[in-house]
């Protein structure tokens, strides 16, 4: 079965996120005065074959541990793992 | 013996507009084919008959350019030009525009422009050693223009830095005329031992055609025709035409191709650019006097459900065609595999000069190559040469501001101030060969494995060209040559990019005509041939049209790179002088633009013989070791040039110009100091030298009949023109460095 | 001495490193990322570039190359590894060095001269320098902001593992002289055994006065001399 | 009230995603042979003041239209908008 997993990787809260600051300032300059803060991270969509959802999730967890995030500076979470009909959404 | 049966009814106007063909062109095509083209053929014809691919308007005009010379190894007609630069090396270079894509998506548009010009160089077997850019936007104070500017700069850096080719120079202007159509031209310079120079002409019927690199997606379909129509408000809908570049993939492609360059197993190499597989396969076959057959079913896709038409016209980046003998296919594919590059045999060379496309079995396109590549009816002048309104000599002399303020304003102007904010974001040193870095006149890059160096720059003042297309274009060539000469190099050849509006408009056509004539004038006078170039037309929108913009990319050779000359002053106590004539007028100057808005009427004068003599004088003076610095006088004139030499070196200067403002010989009426300091008279250099060299310099100047005016001396921490202007070096530097900063 | 120079897809300082090494009178051999063979190198250089495009994170993919297995083994046996720019990023990703290199604080690529103060001469890479020496060596990177947690930073300082700091030409660490916003102005560090160096600036671009500085040559000479001395020691105790 | 919105910005499906390709190949080389495809996008966390959830969502939508995504090549979706107690999670 084919699954798509959404992985979110963010800098740890203690690590400075200059990009977030720039986006925040940009938004404020555009008139969005109510923005308190912005953090910019990565959203990684992985499409994979797996027996079932548990299997897919376990595989993606291991991908995160090995490659998708750098544990020194980043946290991650797996947002969703869903089966897709058949063919690919991501290619 | 076409296998295609006649097409159905003639296409509707809408269908023709879709492929950017006129009814007359369509009818010409049908006549040449003896039948109606089918849907796929129509699209392919539209792409290859676009201005972008066929040069239908400019080709007859470009014949006016001198393209030959003793050093020329390859003139226009190949992917790039090549000149012999000594020690057995060829220098391969070309400039190309990516204006339209950059206007829509500045980062990716500029990045893929760099990717494209790099491929043109390594396709010829040359290792790219340098990139340069030439950029023009609307006024920087406007947020949209800053967005475009920053995006384009980031895109150029993003691609060049990642692939590891240094971006060593370029130019940057801001002007109202580019508000709706920015200019993004990129130039690449490569070096190759001459015997490894590779050509892109297919030979040998039965040879395999390999497609290497990225998978093919629906990127930029109609890109070629897209660059050949002017923007209207429906351009938004063509947006998927924007491509995302992959410099990493191109790096691998480059290394693999360079590994194969000069290898006898490689019959020909050709990059994929405008009109994708179609354009490249057709050119490859046409150059070789053979035909080609492509099977789209064998093309690796990134997306599903692509039609043959889409596959053939896709402008997906980072792809190459390689022609190899059948028995060598495996070995060549292994080289690509080593670099993790995918390659497929997608077709073969055939004897008959036809362009055949199959989709698995049946042919979906079968056209005679000469119709496809050469059949487009060439365009002629839309009308007779227009009467140009005679402009009265305007003779503007004065500045609206005191001299100190005038200088600081000029230094702070986005057109004149420091470009450090740009070039510090470009890796300009990778390759361990950048001897003169960006920031001065031309950059100098040494040739690896040789003591020789290449000086290179891009130049072109469109204000001059819009006032006087012919003289302005000649000035662009001279200025580019001057920049190269100032480093101690001998100009050897140039490339050019002609950025104009819609050539179906009579004035635009004649501007283009005249500008080409001006390039030819200067090339002939200076003995520098044109070896490559690019034409970008339709740079206009419903509301505005760009100024005729001629960008010259000049390359020169220094025999011993250790003996290059700097632009910055060298030491306290040196004397300074202007080599060349006096300036006086401020017309068409940056000061006129800043102080009085755009009301220029007259472009600077140009005396090509004097220009040649002044350049020879400076060249010989540097070769004889007489100069400690040389800097050409360009926008902002003597005052700005002197301030630049001072800022770059950290050494001030003290000059006397009273004698210039009131010439004793009464050679002209007394000049205003502003005219002397900030007028943009041509054919001039600011030089510095040890006092002892003066006599020899005077001799040399006399021999070349070049005026030489001593001005004063280098030293101290102020920029002083006695009795006229006196500012601290620090104030000047601050103004200069502020020029491109956002005004907070 | 023989310097092995790693080549990953996307590496671009490999040829510059080879040029500099040869200029110093030593031998350079290229090490292909798919091989596990270090070709008898006395010191492995991991050069600058954008390995695998630096997509995802700089150095993240290169770290898994077969060649890196050999490098890890080599350094565990005391061999010298020298990561420059992208090489530093690879070494951090491979956890041969602590911390991480993140996007420059300016969010822009920076190519410009920088001045490095030698903070320790207790490693082979600076053995011929003196503490406090200021070297002019250019930077060229978009992701060179060194970050680590406070404990790691303290440990690095305590164990004399900060090798270079960005300073003014006069040798002052003032923060503003740091081109990328690195914590504590750190430009280069070594591992606990002092045989693995990572640095962001490019010494191979500063080996000839013609190119603006020859200070980088002192580092190559340091390595070669240390290797020769150790080699001689090893030979005399054999 | 303070809200945190999660915005996901991805390249449009038809646009080439070089980063996704490298991550896919990297995962496969690490032994994750079952990976079909990867796409890498941005995950942007915006912390803002708003009267209610609808207001917050509308503001974030307008931020996306004006700054957070590049409409030429990117799509976006707002994944979640949730009220936070008081003080900030993102800074
Ligand atoms: N302004 C020009 N001056 C001289 N040669 C030109 C000019 N414009 C185009 N050419 C030449 O015409 C050929 C086709 O150019 P172009 O379509 O830009 O090439 P490519 O398809 O390789 O990008 C090239 O050989 C180029 O050098
Ligand atoms: Mg080409």
């Amino acid at each position: 079965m084919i699954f798509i997993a959404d992985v979110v990787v963010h800098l740890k809260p203690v690590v400075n996120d200059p990009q977030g600051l720039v986006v925040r300032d940009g938004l404020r300059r555009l008139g969005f005065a109510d923005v308190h803060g912005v953090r910019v991270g990565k959203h990684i969509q992985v499409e994979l074959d797996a027996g079932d959802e548990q299997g897919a999730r376990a595989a993606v967890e291991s991908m995160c541990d090995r490659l998708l995030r750098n544990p020194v500076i980043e946290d991650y979470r797996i947002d969703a793992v869903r089966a897709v009909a058949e063919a690919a959404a991501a290619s | 013996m076409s296998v295609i049966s006649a097409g159905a009814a003639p296409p509707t106007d809408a269908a023709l507009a879709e492929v950017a063909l006129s009814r007359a062109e369509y009818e010409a095509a049908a006549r040449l084919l003896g039948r109606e083209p089918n849907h796929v053929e129509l699209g392919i014809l539209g792409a290859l008959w676009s201005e972008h691919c066929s040069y239908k308007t400019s080709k007859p005009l470009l014949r006016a350019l001198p393209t030959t010379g003793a050093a020329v190894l390859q003139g226009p007609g190949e992917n790039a030009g090549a000149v012999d630069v000594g020690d057995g090396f060829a220098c391969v270079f070309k400039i190309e525009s990516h204006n339209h894509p950059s206007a829509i998506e500045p980062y990716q548009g500029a990045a893929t422009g760099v990717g494209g010009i790099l491929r043109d160089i390594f396709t010829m077997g040359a290792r790219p050693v340098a990139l340069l850019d030439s950029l023009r936007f609307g006024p920087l104070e406007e947020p949209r223009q800053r967005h475009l500017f920053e995006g384009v700069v980031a895109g150029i850096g993003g691609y060049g830095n990642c692939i590891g080719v240094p971006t060593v120079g370029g130019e940057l202007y801001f002007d109202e005329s580019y508000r709706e159509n920015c200019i993004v031209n990129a130039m690449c310079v490569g070096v190759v031992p001459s015997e490894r120079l590779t050509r892109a002409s297919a030979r040998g019927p039965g040879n395999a055609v390999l497609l290497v690199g990225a998978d093919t997606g629906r990127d930029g379909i109609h890109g070629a025709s897209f660059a050949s129509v002017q923007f209207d408000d429906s351009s938004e809908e063509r947006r998927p035409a924007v491509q995302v570049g992959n410099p990493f993939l191109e790096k691998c492609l480059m290394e693999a191709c360079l590994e194969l360059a000069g290898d006898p197993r490689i019959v020909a190499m050709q990059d994929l650019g405008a009109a994708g597989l179609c354009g490249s396969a057709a050119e490859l076959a046409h150059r070789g006097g053979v035909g080609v057959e492509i099977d789209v079913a064998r093309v690796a896709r990134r997306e599903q459900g692509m039609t043959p038409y889409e596959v053939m016209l896709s402008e997906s980046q980072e792809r190459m065609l390689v022609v190899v003998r059948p028995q060598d296919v495996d070995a060549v594919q292994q080289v690509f595999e080593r670099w993790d590059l995918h390659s497929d045999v997608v077709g073969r060379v055939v004897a008959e000069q036809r362009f055949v496309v199959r989709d698995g079995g049946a042919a979906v396109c079968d056209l005679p190559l000469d119709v496809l590549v050469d059949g487009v009816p060439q365009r002629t002048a839309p009308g007779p040469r227009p009467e140009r309104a005679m402009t009265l000599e305007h003779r503007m002399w004065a500045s609206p501001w005191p001299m100190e303020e005038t200088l600081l304003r000029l230094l702070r102007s986005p057109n004149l101030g420091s470009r450090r904010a740009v070039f510090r974001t470009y890796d300009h040193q990778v390759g361990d060969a950048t001897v003169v870095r960006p920031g001065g006149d031309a950059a100098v890059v040494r040739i690896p494995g040789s003591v020789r160096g290449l000086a290179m720059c891009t130049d072109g003042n469109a204000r001059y060209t819009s006032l006087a297309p012919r003289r302005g274009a000649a000035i662009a060539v001279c200025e580019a040559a001057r920049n190269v000469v100032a480093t101690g190099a001998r100009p050897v050849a140039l490339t050019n990019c002609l950025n104009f509006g819609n050539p179906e408009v009579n004035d635009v056509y004649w501007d283009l005509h005249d500008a080409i004539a001006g390039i030819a004038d200067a090339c002939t006078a200076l003995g520098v041939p044109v070896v490559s170039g690019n034409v970008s037309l339709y740079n206009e929108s419903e509301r505005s049209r760009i100024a005729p913009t001629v960008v010259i990319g000049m390359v020169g050779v220094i025999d011993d790179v250790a003996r290059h000359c700097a632009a910055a002053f060298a030491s306290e106590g040196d004397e300074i002088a202007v080599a060349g004539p006096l300036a006086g007028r401020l017309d068409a100057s940056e000061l006129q633009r800043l102080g009085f808005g755009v009301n220029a009427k007259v472009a600077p004068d140009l005396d090509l013989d004097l220009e040649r003599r002044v350049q020879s004088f400076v060249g010989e003076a540097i070769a004889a070791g007489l100069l400690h610095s040389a800097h050409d006088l360009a926008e902002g004139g003597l005052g700005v040039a002197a301030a630049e030499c001072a800022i770059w070196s950290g050494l001030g200067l003290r000059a006397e110009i009273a004698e210039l403002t009131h010439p004793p010989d009464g050679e002209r009426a007394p000049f205003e100091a502003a005219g002397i300091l900030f007028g943009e008279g041509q054919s001039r250099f600011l030089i510095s030298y040890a006092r002892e060299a003066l006599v020899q310099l005077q001799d040399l100047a006399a021999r070349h009949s070049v005026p030489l005016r001593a001005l004063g001396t280098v030293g101290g921490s102020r920029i002083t023109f006695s009795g006229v202007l006196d500012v601290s070096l620090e104030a000047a530097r601050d103004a200069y460095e502020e020029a491109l900063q956002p005004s907070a | 001495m023989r310097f092995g120079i790693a080549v990953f897809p996307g590496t671009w300082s490999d040829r510059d490193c080879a040029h500099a090494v040869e200029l110093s009178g030593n031998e350079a051999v290229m090490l292909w990322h798919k091989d596990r063979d270090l070709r008898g190198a006395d010191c492995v250089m991991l050069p600058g570039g954008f390995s695998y495009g630096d997509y995802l994170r700089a150095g993240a993919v290169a770290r898994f190359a077969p060649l890196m297995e050999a490098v890890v083994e080599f350094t565990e046996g005391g061999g010298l590894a020298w990561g420059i720019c992208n090489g530093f990023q690879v070494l951090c990703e491979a956890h041969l060095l602590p911390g991480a290199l993140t996007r420059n604080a300016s969010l822009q690529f920076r190519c410009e001269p920088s001045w490095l103060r030698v903070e320790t001469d207790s490693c082979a890479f600076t053995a011929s320098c003196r503490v406090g020496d200021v070297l002019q060596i250019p930077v060229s990177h978009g992701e060179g902001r060194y970050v680590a947690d406070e404990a790691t930073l303290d440990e690095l300082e305590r164990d004399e593992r900060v090798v270079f700091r960005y300073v003014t030409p006069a040798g002052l660490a003032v923060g503003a002289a740091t081109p990328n916003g690195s914590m504590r102005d750190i430009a280069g560090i070594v591992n606990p055994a002092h045989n693995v160096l990572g640095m962001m600036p490019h010494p191979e671009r500063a080996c000839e006065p013609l190119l603006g500085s020859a200070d980088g040559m002192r580092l190559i000479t340091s390595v070669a001399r240390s290797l020769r001395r150790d080699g001689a020691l090893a030979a005399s105790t054999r």
Side-chain angles (χ1 to χ4, degrees), chain A, chain B, chain C:
Chain A
M1 264 225 303
I2 296 178
F3 292 85
I4 289 187
D6 283 354
V7 179
V8 175
V9 179
H10 267 272
L11 286 173
K12 291 184 177 175
V14 295
V15 178
N16 244 333
D17 173 16
Q19 204 183 350
L21 293 179
V22 165
V23 174
R24 183 197 66 190
D25 294 348
L27 288 171
R28 287 191 183 155
R29 252 197 311 277
L30 283 178
F32 297 102
D34 294 332
V35 175
H36 291 292
V38 175
R39 290 191 75 85
V40 180
K42 286 178 215 138
H43 187 269
I44 306 171
Q45 214 176 57
V46 181
E47 188 187 322
L48 74 166
D49 238 328
D52 55 18
E53 205 200 293
Q54 271 70 37
R57 181 174 291 272
V60 173
E61 246 161 46
S62 139
M63 292 176 200
C64 289
D65 290 337
R66 300 201 52 203
L67 178 68
L68 300 183
R69 71 101 179 231
N70 178 349
V72 178
I73 45 170
E74 292 170 330
D75 290 331
Y76 77 95
R77 67 170 195 263
I78 299 173
D79 243 16
V81 178
R82 55 194 185 284
V84 284
E86 231 172 272
S91 67
Chain B
M1 54 136 259
S2 169
V3 294
I4 304 269
S5 54
T12 59
D13 288 350
L16 286 180
E18 163 84 0
V19 297
L21 282 179
S22 71
R23 178 69 58 186
E25 284 166 345
Y26 172 79
E27 281 162 4
R31 207 164 39 244
L32 288 168
L33 297 177
R35 64 180 170 85
E36 311 268 341
N38 68 23
H39 169 72
V40 176
E41 292 170 334
L42 188 64
I44 288 176
L45 277 166
L48 283 175
W49 281 20
S50 68
E51 184 66 48
H52 194 71
C53 290
S54 74
Y55 288 84
K56 58 193 167 197
T57 308
S58 54
K59 202 183 251 170
L61 301 179
L62 291 171
R63 289 197 192 106
L65 295 174
T67 58
T68 54
V72 176
L73 299 173
Q74 176 65 58
E78 269 281 346
N79 285 297
V83 284
D84 181 349
V85 290
D87 288 352
F89 288 101
C91 173
V92 178
F93 64 100
K94 183 173 189 271
I95 191 167
E96 198 156 80
S97 67
H98 234 214
N99 305 340
H100 293 84
S102 304
I104 290 179
E105 214 307 288
Y107 184 100
Q108 295 299 343
T112 51
V114 170
I117 193 63
L118 281 160
R119 283 195 294 284
D120 274 336
I121 302 309
F122 69 74
T123 300
M124 301 214 30
R127 178 171 285 279
V129 297
L131 288 163
L132 299 96
D133 59 6
S134 174
L135 312 178
R136 285 160 177 76
F137 305 94
L140 185 58
E141 312 80 68
E142 297 170 16
R144 193 182 117 75
Q145 301 302 327
R146 180 165 282 279
H147 165 77
L148 286 171
F149 161 60
E150 288 178 352
V152 163
V153 167
I156 290 172
Y159 210 99
N161 297 347
C162 181
I163 199 168
V165 175
T167 304
V168 299
E171 50 162 8
L172 172 63
Y173 287 94
F174 301 92
D175 185 272
E176 274 77 11
S177 96
Y178 305 109
R179 189 179 270 127
E180 297 197 29
N181 296 271
C182 60
I183 299 291
V184 177
N185 293 173
M187 170 172 167
C188 182
V189 180
V191 171
V192 59
S194 301
E195 77 279 1
R196 286 173 66 103
L197 205 55
T198 308
R199 300 300 201 303
S201 70
R203 276 175 284 112
N207 282 342
V209 176
L210 273 177
L211 176 61
V212 191
D215 289 353
T216 299
R218 286 193 181 87
D219 305 285
I221 290 165
H222 288 322
S225 3
F226 176 53
S228 305
V229 292
Q230 75 193 57
F231 277 5
D232 55 39
D233 293 326
S234 75
S235 303
E236 303 267 312
E237 279 150 41
R238 300 181 197 240
R239 277 178 164 176
V242 170
Q243 306 133 36
V244 171
N246 184 351
F248 164 62
L249 182 59
E250 180 133 315
K251 164 76 174 164
C252 296
L253 196 56
M254 175 172 84
E255 294 299 340
C257 289
L258 292 177
E259 214 171 294
L260 289 168
D263 186 321
R265 290 174 304 188
I266 302 297
V267 177
M269 275 203 270
Q270 165 73 42
D271 65 308
L272 275 74
L277 199 42
C278 247
S280 301
E283 266 178 53
L284 197 54
H286 188 67
R287 283 201 198 101
V290 292
V292 65
E293 202 176 288
I294 301 286
D295 184 355
V296 288
R298 298 192 184 189
V299 174
R301 327 273 172 97
R302 200 179 72 225
E303 292 173 62
Q304 289 163 355
M306 289 179 70
T307 63
Y309 175 79
E310 287 173 324
V311 173
M312 288 308 290
L313 289 178
S314 157
E315 294 188 358
S316 287
Q317 300 288 299
E318 293 94 19
R319 297 181 300 163
M320 293 287 262
L321 281 183
V322 181
V323 180
V324 291
R325 291 180 307 173
Q327 63 269 34
D328 296 328
V329 168
D330 283 349
V332 169
Q333 282 193 304
Q334 272 169 29
V335 174
F336 290 118
E337 263 159 42
R338 200 172 104 87
W339 287 97
D340 298 324
L341 292 164
H342 181 83
S343 61
D344 294 304
V345 176
V346 298
R348 60 195 183 93
V349 177
V350 296
E352 208 188 342
Q353 295 179 31
R354 300 193 72 83
F355 186 77
V356 179
V357 180
R358 295 181 188 285
D359 186 4
V364 294
C365 160
D366 184 349
L367 297 170
L369 262 174
D370 54 345
V371 171
L372 196 54
V373 178
D374 263 347
V376 65
Q378 293 196 344
R379 294 196 175 161
T380 48
R385 171 183 280 282
E387 286 294 317
R388 283 187 201 284
M390 276 296 292
T391 39
L392 289 177
E393 192 138 339
H394 185 246
R395 294 198 172 252
M396 196 201 81
W397 311 96
S399 168
W401 305 292
M403 288 299 105
E404 279 83 4
E405 188 184 343
T406 305
L407 176 64
L408 295 179
R409 277 179 186 261
L410 283 168
L411 291 173
R412 205 181 286 120
S413 144
N415 282 344
L416 302 191
S418 169
R419 268 78 186 105
R420 201 165 72 96
V422 174
F423 64 72
R424 76 199 303 214
T425 70
Y426 296 159
D427 188 334
H428 47 261
Q429 289 181 294
V430 59
D432 249 2
T434 310
V435 174
V436 175
R437 293 178 220 164
D441 290 324
V444 175
V445 175
R446 69 170 165 198
I447 299 176
S450 158
V451 294
R452 288 169 192 263
L454 299 172
M456 56 193 76
C457 66
T458 55
D459 270 296
N461 182 319
R463 194 155 54 233
Y464 305 161
T465 335
S466 61
L467 293 170
R470 185 162 183 162
R471 198 188 327 151
I475 289 177
V477 173
C478 293
E479 186 187 346
R482 241 176 268 145
N483 278 308
V484 160
V485 165
T487 65
R490 185 170 76 248
V492 285
L494 64 82
T495 183
N496 68 103
C497 197
L498 304 170
N499 305 274
F500 284 74
N502 178 354
E504 294 155 44
V505 173
N506 200 37
D507 286 7
V508 173
Y509 179 90
W510 285 100
D511 282 354
L512 177 63
H513 173 278
D514 291 355
I516 291 170
I519 295 176
D521 294 342
C523 285
T524 307
L526 302 179
V528 181
V530 176
V531 295
S532 60
N534 181 246
V535 179
S536 169
L537 303 177
Y538 300 93
N539 291 286
E540 62 180 80
S541 59
E542 279 150 17
R543 286 163 293 262
S544 75
R545 171 183 303 154
I546 62 161
T549 304
V550 174
V551 177
I552 301 297
M554 182 71 71
V555 172
V557 176
I558 309 183
D559 293 331
D560 179 358
V561 72
R563 294 172 58 95
H564 71 274
C565 187
F569 291 144
S571 33
E572 260 325 302
D574 277 355
E575 293 192 344
I576 47 186
V578 171
L582 272 182
R585 262 178 16 202
L586 286 166
D587 298 272
S589 66
E590 183 65 19
L591 175 53
Q592 185 183 41
R593 193 187 73 87
L594 273 186
F596 301 96
V598 188
N599 60 357
K601 294 222 168 53
V602 197
D605 294 329
L606 179 68
D607 172 345
L608 281 169
D609 191 60
L610 174 64
E611 178 75 41
R612 184 185 53 74
R613 284 183 275 122
V614 173
Q615 290 190 18
S616 304
F617 162 71
V618 172
E620 286 176 33
I622 294 172
L626 296 175
L627 299 189
H628 287 172
S629 76
H631 181 28
D632 75 304
L633 302 195
E635 287 91 355
L638 171 61
V640 166
E644 284 171 340
C645 292
I647 293 167
W648 297 334
S649 63
L651 298 167
L653 71 113
R654 167 169 284 280
E656 289 290 341
I657 57 166
E659 170 248 337
L660 297 181
T661 47
H662 300 284
D665 51 2
E667 77 185 284
R668 292 199 213 170
F671 291 104
E672 288 278 346
I676 291 287
L677 282 177
F678 305 117
E680 298 180 6
Q682 296 299 303
S683 316
R684 302 188 296 156
F685 291 83
L686 183 66
I687 57 177
S688 74
Y689 46 87
R691 172 166 317 216
E692 307 82 75
L694 181 60
V695 177
Q696 270 173 284
L697 281 171
Q698 279 168 335
D699 269 4
L700 192 59
R703 233 178 304 139
H704 288 279
S705 309
V706 166
L708 184 67
R709 303 248 174 183
L711 286 182
T713 51
V714 174
S717 58
R718 303 190 68 79
I719 298 167
T720 307
F721 286 87
S722 304
V724 177
L725 179 158
D726 181 33
V727 299
S728 76
L729 202 46
E730 209 184 321
R733 183 186 293 117
D734 288 351
Y736 184 67
E737 291 297 340
E738 229 172 72
L740 296 177
Q741 301 309 321
S743 47
Chain C
M1 291 296 123
R2 180 179 293 176
F3 288 73
I5 298 167
V7 183
F8 302 100
T11 296
W12 42 233
S13 277
D14 46 340
R15 294 145 49 86
D16 299 358
C17 285
H19 172 72
V21 164
E22 280 161 10
L23 210 59
S24 74
N26 292 284
E27 187 191 353
V29 291
M30 296 306 194
L31 308 178
W32 186 240
H33 66 109
K34 289 180 185 170
D35 299 336
R36 283 183 182 77
D37 181 5
L38 299 185
R39 303 182 61 189
D42 301 298
C43 169
V44 176
M45 290 176 101
L46 305 172
F50 282 58
S51 56
Y52 295 93
D54 275 0
Y55 299 134
L56 191 66
R57 292 184 313 277
V61 181
R63 153 205 180 186
F64 293 106
L67 179 67
M68 285 306 292
E69 291 170 25
V71 171
V72 169
E73 204 174 290
F74 178 64
T75 57
E76 281 168 357
L80 295 182
W82 184 359
I84 295 168
C85 195
N86 195 232
F88 188 8
Q89 294 161 340
V90 174
L91 291 171
C92 287
E93 283 283 345
H95 307 304
L96 287 174
L97 291 172
L101 294 146
T102 58
R103 245 174 116 183
N104 291 354
S106 63
L107 297 181
Q108 285 187 337
F109 195 93
R110 280 284 178 269
C111 176
E112 55 196 12
S114 74
W115 285 266
L116 307 183
R117 191 173 66 205
V118 175
E119 303 290 87
T120 174
D121 54 8
S122 66
C123 63
F125 308 93
T126 51
S128 310
C129 304
R130 266 181 319 207
V131 172
D133 281 356
V134 175
L135 311 178
Q136 189 195 324
I137 294 179
V139 290
S140 186
H141 59 250
E143 301 187 20
R145 178 170 58 108
Y146 184 72
V147 300
D149 57 40
E150 290 296 318
T152 305
L153 293 171
D154 291 341
E155 188 184 311
L156 284 172
E157 307 217 22
R158 191 193 58 221
D159 299 346
E160 284 192 39
R161 289 168 52 200
V162 175
V163 182
F164 302 113
R165 254 185 243 281
Y166 298 106
V167 293
T168 62
L172 302 174
V174 294
T178 301
N180 48 31
S182 284
M183 295 177 107
R184 305 197 193 175
D185 302 320
I186 287 174
I189 55 171
V190 281
N191 65 339
H194 285 55
N195 63 329
V196 176
L197 168 71
M199 63 189 294
M200 284 314 294
H202 287 273
E204 80 283 5
R205 295 187 184 182
C207 288
E208 291 168 83
L210 182 64
L211 302 181
S213 166
D215 291 351
M217 194 52 103
R218 295 175 60 188
L219 305 185
I220 299 180
T221 322
S222 284
V223 171
R225 249 191 235 151
S226 307
L227 284 168
R228 227 168 323 184
R229 195 188 52 222
D230 293 352
L233 272 180
S236 67
T237 53
R238 200 173 291 144

